[in-house]
Amino acid sequence: MKNPTLPAFSLLFLLVFQTAYAENQSQSNKRAYDWLQKIADAPRQLNYQGTFVYYADGHIETSQITHRVDRDDEYEKIEVLDGMSRIVYRYNDEMKCYIPNTKKIYTEKRWYRKFFPDLLPQLTARIQENYKIEVDRQERIAGHDAQLIKLIPNDNLRYGHEFWIDIDSGLLLKAVVVNKEDIIEQFAFAQLEIGGKVDENLLNPELMSAQNWEKVDLTTLVLDEGELKWQLRELPAGFIKIAEMKRKLVGKSTMVDHIVLSDDLASVSVFIEPIQADVSSTVPGFYSSRGAINIYVRELMNNKITTVGEVPLNTIKLIGDAIFVRQ
């Protein structure tokens, strides 16, 4: 005779197992998200000094960074050590970029945070809709114990990311962008000191010998939603518009319309400018920059639309083609 209680027992066991699995998954997701929150918070709360390396497409670039926090104020200096000399000083959102070769100083108000190691400027729970977040192994990076977190895209509209996070402070030590198994680009500290006192003189741009240098103000006017005549049709899943503005860019005689989109991690910019008959213009089509950055150019109503972002070409095209003029 069959045991009549077996089906009920099996069902009860299955329900208990599923409930426990769901609870474990929820705790695992929260733990992974907490690590990402540390990446977002740590660069704004810590003093640190170090040297980091950027690598992509066989190109290596080394930079020194010094960051200091004084109550609610941030001070930062980044000096690029390879290639053309560049030194960027930042006080909160006010930036000055010194180019010794041309003796020019570019000033700009930062409207969006996204510079290594500050790579998660506007973290929200929405990131979990676009990426599967996994807590992986622990490793040693630049003399610090680090926790590896992987962000695996849920579709082919974005790249994967791997973050190595300092276990003690939460500061990002290494970041890698991957396309399936291929590494596209990476940032990594080679040497890093976290905490301690930072000499104020290291972060004072007034101590630079920059007399008689040309000053160029790159103005940015952040606009309210819908102020630009340019609108967006349906966007790739997970992307939303986060800002629209008018900007003065290097080499441009007039201000350019600029729309910014993000999926909480990857960012995409759309620049729109009139085509000038007496100025040579980029031929429409696809272009590659270094590392994860791709570019798509099209023309619409005698305007050039340039879409630039750290996403695959198919995503760049979907966003660039979504632009239209509001009647």
Side-chain angles (χ1 to χ4, degrees):
M1 174 182 283
K2 294 181 179 179
N3 187 345
T5 64
L6 184 58
F9 175 80
S10 300
L11 180 60
L12 178 61
F13 176 81
L14 182 62
L15 289 173
V16 171
F17 175 80
Q18 288 177 333
T19 301
Y21 177 77
E23 290 178 351
N24 288 337
Q25 282 294 102
S26 177
Q27 292 174 359
S28 176
N29 290 341
K30 183 181 185 305
R31 180 172 169 235
Y33 184 78
D34 287 345
W35 278 111
L36 295 184
Q37 191 62 59
K38 289 181 179 181
I39 296 178
D41 295 339
R44 310 164 195 191
Q45 301 171 348
L46 298 170
N47 290 351
Y48 53 90
Q49 301 179 72
T51 302
F52 66 85
V53 178
Y54 169 75
Y55 176 81
D57 302 331
H59 172 82
I60 298 177
E61 189 173 271
T62 308
S63 301
Q64 286 183 338
I65 184 169
T66 303
H67 183 270
R68 174 174 168 264
V69 177
D70 182 8
R71 295 189 178 91
D72 294 330
D73 292 326
E74 285 184 76
Y75 302 83
E76 187 172 84
K77 174 186 175 183
I78 300 177
E79 182 174 2
V80 180
L81 303 180
D82 301 319
M84 184 178 70
S85 178
R86 285 158 286 161
I87 306 171
V88 178
Y89 289 89
R90 178 172 67 84
Y91 167 61
N92 293 332
D93 290 330
E94 303 294 332
M95 300 177 65
K96 291 183 178 181
C97 180
Y98 290 75
I99 312 293
N101 289 9
T102 60
K103 294 192 179 301
K104 289 185 178 180
I105 306 171
Y106 294 95
T107 62
E108 183 176 14
K109 187 175 179 64
R110 186 176 68 165
W111 51 270
Y112 188 62
R113 310 179 65 111
K114 195 159 187 184
F115 301 93
F116 182 81
D118 190 0
L119 293 184
L120 290 177
Q122 294 184 336
L123 180 65
T124 71
R126 194 170 58 86
I127 197 171
Q128 298 176 88
E129 300 173 7
N130 304 315
Y131 300 88
K132 178 184 177 184
I133 310 172
E134 292 185 353
V135 179
D136 205 287
R137 62 190 180 275
Q138 293 187 2
E139 293 185 349
R140 190 94 166 135
I141 304 291
H144 298 264
D145 293 326
Q147 175 64 60
L148 170 59
I149 302 294
K150 292 185 176 181
L151 282 79
I152 303 167
N154 293 332
D155 48 39
N156 66 347
L157 296 171
R158 60 206 96 232
Y159 293 128
H161 297 260
E162 297 179 358
F163 295 138
W164 283 259
I165 309 160
D166 179 54
I167 290 176
D168 293 328
S169 68
L171 191 68
L172 184 60
L173 303 177
K174 180 179 177 180
V176 173
V177 180
V178 296
N179 185 11
K180 297 178 181 177
E181 302 300 323
D182 298 328
I183 295 177
I184 301 175
E185 71 175 15
Q186 65 179 358
F187 290 89
F189 275 109
Q191 174 274 327
L192 176 65
E193 296 179 12
I194 303 174
K197 188 175 180 179
V198 175
D199 186 351
E200 295 181 25
N201 290 327
L202 294 175
L203 296 157
N204 186 358
E206 303 305 323
L207 297 180
M208 280 203 63
S209 178
Q211 292 183 352
N212 302 319
W213 286 32
E214 180 185 354
K215 295 183 180 180
V216 181
D217 183 18
L218 300 178
T219 306
T220 297
L221 299 176
V222 179
L223 306 176
D224 292 332
E225 169 69 28
E227 279 197 70
L228 290 179
K229 67 178 181 180
W230 307 100
Q231 298 296 301
L232 293 155
R233 295 189 177 90
E234 184 176 356
L235 292 169
F239 285 89
I240 62 171
K241 180 168 69 172
I242 61 173
E244 58 182 68
M245 64 197 80
K246 286 184 175 289
R247 294 184 64 192
K248 175 74 179 300
L249 300 180
V250 177
K252 302 294 182 183
S253 59
T254 59
M255 298 190 78
V256 173
D257 293 344
H258 183 192
I259 297 173
V260 186
L261 307 100
S262 176
D263 68 350
D264 258 18
L265 180 54
S267 59
V268 178
S269 285
V270 183
F271 300 96
I272 306 118
E273 57 184 311
I275 297 173
Q276 300 179 23
D278 57 340
V279 178
S280 60
S281 184
T282 307
V283 176
F286 292 105
Y287 297 87
S288 292
S289 184
R290 183 171 290 145
I293 302 297
N294 286 306
I295 304 168
Y296 170 56
V297 179
R298 63 181 279 239
E299 294 180 0
L300 176 64
M301 299 178 64
N302 206 36
N303 286 275
K304 183 177 73 172
I305 300 173
T306 304
T307 308
V308 183
E310 50 200 10
V311 292
L313 282 173
N314 59 311
T315 310
I316 283 286
K317 188 175 189 304
L318 287 170
I319 293 174
D321 288 343
I323 296 290
F324 71 97
V325 179
R326 182 183 63 222
Q327 299 300 322

